[in-house]
Amino acid sequence: GTLVPVGRQGELRTYVVCRKRFDQTVVQQGLEAGADLLLESQPTSAEVKPDGVEIEIINQRTKETRTLRSKLLIGCDGAHSWVRRRFKMGHPKEMLVGFQTEVVGYQGKERWLEMYSGSEIAPGFFAWVIPSGNDTHRIGLWSRADLLDGRTVLDCYNDLLKHPLWKDRFENIIETARYCGPVPSGMIRRPFKERVMVIGDAAGMAKPTTGGGLGPGFKQISSIADKLVQRINADELTEKDLKAVTKTSWPKMKKEQDRARALRDLLVSTRTDEELDEHFANFAKPEVIALINEIGDIEKPVPLGLALIKKVPAFRKLALQAGVKLLFT
């Protein structure tokens, strides 16, 4: 295994979010802004009418049904979006699977995020250990079903913990929680139709390089919020109207997703373990680490990827493989 220490001691590179507190705050802000919150409920049908959308929901506990009407239906309902499926809006380009635990007792470098790669622990992708404060860490990995060769992400997680190169770091951990779920990446073909729109994971907005979905989801809606409010107030919500609202930002976001995926495939997802070893040997060179520290940004990986291909001789042979999509889109 080759260690590539990116970052400088004392320099803050990114943040860790407590998702529970984050979600609670978002809900609180929504309620304060006038939103209504319906618990234990799920939709059973939705139909676009000339003057709006009619949605029928059922209370899962009481089995009571009620009908809601709105000018616009926005599906922010996750990777397996009911809204997306109901209105046949397409599928995310990739549906990956992620697994993560929360633990105490991990023996790692304080305030440093660690990443691991290789076919044994995260085929085509990577595993991570993220410090989350108070001697707690998040340990996880993600991959794609077609790369797992019949294994599960739990199998990969156990292999990560038992790997002879670093098993000592994990031997005293105590698990306090675990999570597993899909990671939809690649904006769907039709993220809007007449009076219907999907946002976030429902639209396939997770980043292809890290799997993160919060940032892209908020960027997706913040880029259109003002224009969308105007259209709602004017009741101008045809598919053509919604295309006009999104045309200056969403196609650009999709293009950035495609470029980031091409970069990920070029450097990681399509590489053998032997090729990954070569890549990391090059990453570990002082001049390359300096370049990564100068340009690298976990939120914007494409500029660094292009810089590596153009400026590092060992990676120039990848330029031809990068193709038109990565270099010129």
Side-chain angles (χ1 to χ4, degrees), residues 29-315:
Q29 289 180 344
L31 293 173
E32 291 173 355
D36 292 320
L37 187 63
L38 301 179
L39 302 178
E40 301 178 320
S41 302
Q42 68 180 45
T44 58
S45 67
E47 185 177 353
V48 174
K49 305 282 189 177
D51 59 345
V53 186
E54 193 171 279
I55 310 107
E56 186 172 282
I57 63 171
I58 185 171
N59 184 291
Q60 295 171 302
R61 180 173 53 84
T62 66
K63 304 305 178 184
E64 294 179 359
T65 62
R66 61 185 294 189
T67 300
L68 305 176
R69 293 175 179 83
S70 67
K71 292 181 180 180
L72 176 68
L73 172 62
I74 301 179
C76 304
D77 49 342
H80 297 303
S81 170
W82 182 89
V83 174
R84 184 184 72 223
R85 289 182 284 115
R86 168 65 181 82
F87 290 95
K88 297 180 173 60
M89 303 175 80
H91 304 279
K93 190 175 185 69
E94 295 181 304
M95 188 68 81
L96 305 108
V97 59
F99 180 87
Q100 180 171 270
T101 62
E102 295 182 5
V103 306
V104 296
Y106 178 75
Q107 303 298 315
K109 191 172 182 179
E110 186 178 359
R111 298 176 65 87
W112 277 68
L113 181 154
E114 299 176 10
M115 298 173 67
Y116 302 82
S117 67
S119 60
E120 292 183 24
I121 57 174
F125 292 83
F126 58 85
W128 61 84
V129 179
I130 302 173
S132 49
N134 299 318
D135 193 36
T136 64
H137 288 78
R138 301 172 189 174
I139 304 172
L141 62 98
W142 64 321
S143 187
R144 208 170 55 213
D146 62 296
L147 299 176
L148 289 171
D149 195 26
R151 302 161 68 207
T152 68
V153 286
L154 180 57
D155 294 330
C156 294
Y157 175 80
N158 290 329
D159 288 340
L160 168 68
L161 269 54
K162 298 174 183 177
H163 197 287
L165 286 178
W166 47 69
K167 64 180 181 180
D168 292 348
R169 304 180 191 179
F170 297 95
E171 62 182 0
N172 294 319
I173 65 171
I174 299 174
E175 184 179 312
T176 59
R178 63 170 49 186
Y179 312 92
C180 184
V183 182
S185 179
M187 185 182 285
I188 62 175
R189 183 172 55 88
R190 301 181 70 182
F192 52 82
K193 287 187 172 182
E194 182 176 358
R195 296 189 180 276
V196 180
M197 176 180 286
V198 288
I199 298 289
D201 280 1
M205 293 305 299
K207 290 181 284 189
T209 49
T210 66
L214 277 178
F218 276 101
K219 183 178 179 181
Q220 186 189 12
I221 189 61
S222 64
S223 69
I224 65 168
D226 293 339
K227 293 179 181 178
L228 185 60
V229 168
Q230 293 174 5
R231 294 284 184 169
I232 292 173
N233 289 336
D235 198 24
E236 297 172 345
L237 297 166
T238 66
E239 184 168 337
K240 183 178 179 180
D241 292 328
L242 295 178
K243 183 176 182 179
V245 168
T246 63
K247 68 178 181 180
T248 60
S249 57
W250 286 14
K252 182 179 178 181
M253 293 180 69
K254 184 179 187 303
K255 183 181 291 187
E256 283 299 307
Q257 264 192 331
D258 291 341
R259 297 180 78 199
R261 182 179 301 102
L263 172 66
R264 181 206 70 197
D265 289 345
L266 184 70
L267 293 174
V268 180
S269 296
T270 62
R271 299 298 150 186
T272 65
D273 284 352
E274 291 73 20
E275 289 172 322
L276 285 177
D277 285 341
E278 291 181 15
H279 285 350
F280 279 95
N282 289 311
F283 288 146
K285 294 177 180 178
E287 64 273 20
V288 179
I289 290 179
L291 181 64
I292 295 172
N293 282 330
E294 177 186 354
I295 301 176
D297 185 338
I298 196 169
E299 297 296 328
K300 300 175 183 178
V302 172
L304 173 61
L306 293 177
L308 289 172
I309 292 172
K310 294 176 181 178
K311 297 182 179 181
V312 180
F315 290 122

